[in-house]
Amino acid sequence: MASRGRVFPGVQHRRPVPQIVVVGGSVVVIILLGIVGYSMRLRSHAYSLQNSETAETGNMLNQDAKEKLAGLNAEKSRLLQQINEWNQKAEDIGLASHKLSVLDTATGSTTSAVVASNTQPGSCEKGPLANKYPMKTPAQVEQDNPELAAAVKKYAKNDEIMLTLANGVMICQNTTICWWNGGNILQSFLEILEHNKITNYVIGVMDDETEKYLAERNANQFRVNIKIPQSQKNTHPANRVSTIKYTLLRQLIQLGYNTYITDMDLVYMSNPFNHLHRDSDIEIQTDGFDDTAYGIIEGVHDPSMGWGAGGLYMKLFTTNVGAMYAKANHRTFALMNQVADYLSANSGWDQQVFNEFLIKPSYKEFVHSGSSFRVMDYMKFMNSKIFFKSRRGEFLPGAQATGKTPVMVHFNYHPDKHKRMLCIIDRYFKGNVSACDHFPPGSDKP
């Protein structure tokens, strides 16, 4: 007859203990899972012994295992309670939380605990400007801009939100304030969102007219409470509105949302979130229409230098902030601060300013934010010059088109924006393949 077997084959009896480990200044609560694994193995042995040919031995061992299991379960419950208490304290000071689930192979059930870690946006892998631009906690940002915080919390999906800005100009009831020869771009943009079933969006409204217009259509919106910098008062109306986006992006980044910011003078043929790589801090459209969009190496030749006549340089087309995905981290936070600070003190085109801070390396007193960036595929995230001119033969006439349907067409190269938007909608949403055939390559009449 076997002894009261307190040792089971293959079961280790060292009782692990919870530890709190500090890694690189970040607090991480680590619970050694040996307790759970040990209890699982004991259960497994207990269940198998119930079918033992020697009932007495099995019952004795099973009773012993139950006693051990009860003790371990009590200890496990205490530790899980402790973890949740730590997590609550972590949330109080702005740390993020992650659920840990452990599968019990004996019963098929799971045990969950919440592990807190210092993953507040930007806390890990901080960029070189982390000290210059310290980030607020999400709770602090919610106090500063409660309407924005509530809107993105309601509409975001997987911590991702699409953001755009709108005012009465986009509705264009008064054609004298529209620079695209009339047409309700806001209405068309709402149709585009609905067609592609994009629900994780929010529109920042700038005036009463737009707020009322969107409320009547049950569109996702919030009222922007940020003033346009005085330095931009004499710039183009579109530029004045665009300067606000960088302040909003700063707030969204601190709230922890990865943000796809979009202009409205474009048409999405599919949901852009389904076509992102998400491998860089910034993923952004290009204004380029050939491989200079991605960067090409070219050379110079100065015969007067003799042996050292040659030299190489990089040619890279600028990017377009009208279609840009920004991850929530300290590097992108620093980048948005650099742009917003510059625009608050100097007049200028925000897109040019953004490109300078994104693309130029650190040099002399200038320190780059450390943000990495990916240029979007220009045959997917397309500008209107590609569709109507540089690759026209692949798309027009529509009946003979060989080009693949792009994710979007952005009408940044043409002033008759809305008319061309409508032709793309007619062609790709309604099946009128010839809807765009009559438009010339450029802005002049053929």
Side-chain angles (χ1 to χ4, degrees), residues 313-366:
Y313 64 92
M314 171 73 75
K315 182 188 290 187
L316 177 67
F317 223 103
T318 54
T319 60
N320 191 304
V321 292
M324 176 181 71
Y325 180 80
K327 285 187 176 181
N329 59 46
H330 212 297
R331 297 178 296 278
T332 56
F333 179 69
L335 174 61
M336 302 311 163
N337 272 280
Q338 288 178 314
V339 178
D341 287 353
Y342 182 92
L343 292 172
S344 67
N346 306 276
S347 63
W349 183 24
D350 71 285
Q351 184 158 290
Q352 179 178 338
V353 174
F354 179 84
N355 273 276
E356 290 190 22
F357 283 105
L358 175 68
I359 297 174
K360 284 186 176 181
S362 296
Y363 65 98
K364 296 182 179 179
E365 291 79 22
F366 172 70

Side-chain angles (χ1 to χ4, degrees), residues 220-233:
N220 307 348
Q221 63 165 301
F222 71 98
R223 186 64 181 256
V224 175
N225 59 5
I226 302 168
K227 293 183 178 180
I228 296 174
Q230 192 68 18
S231 60
Q232 305 301 320
K233 67 178 182 179

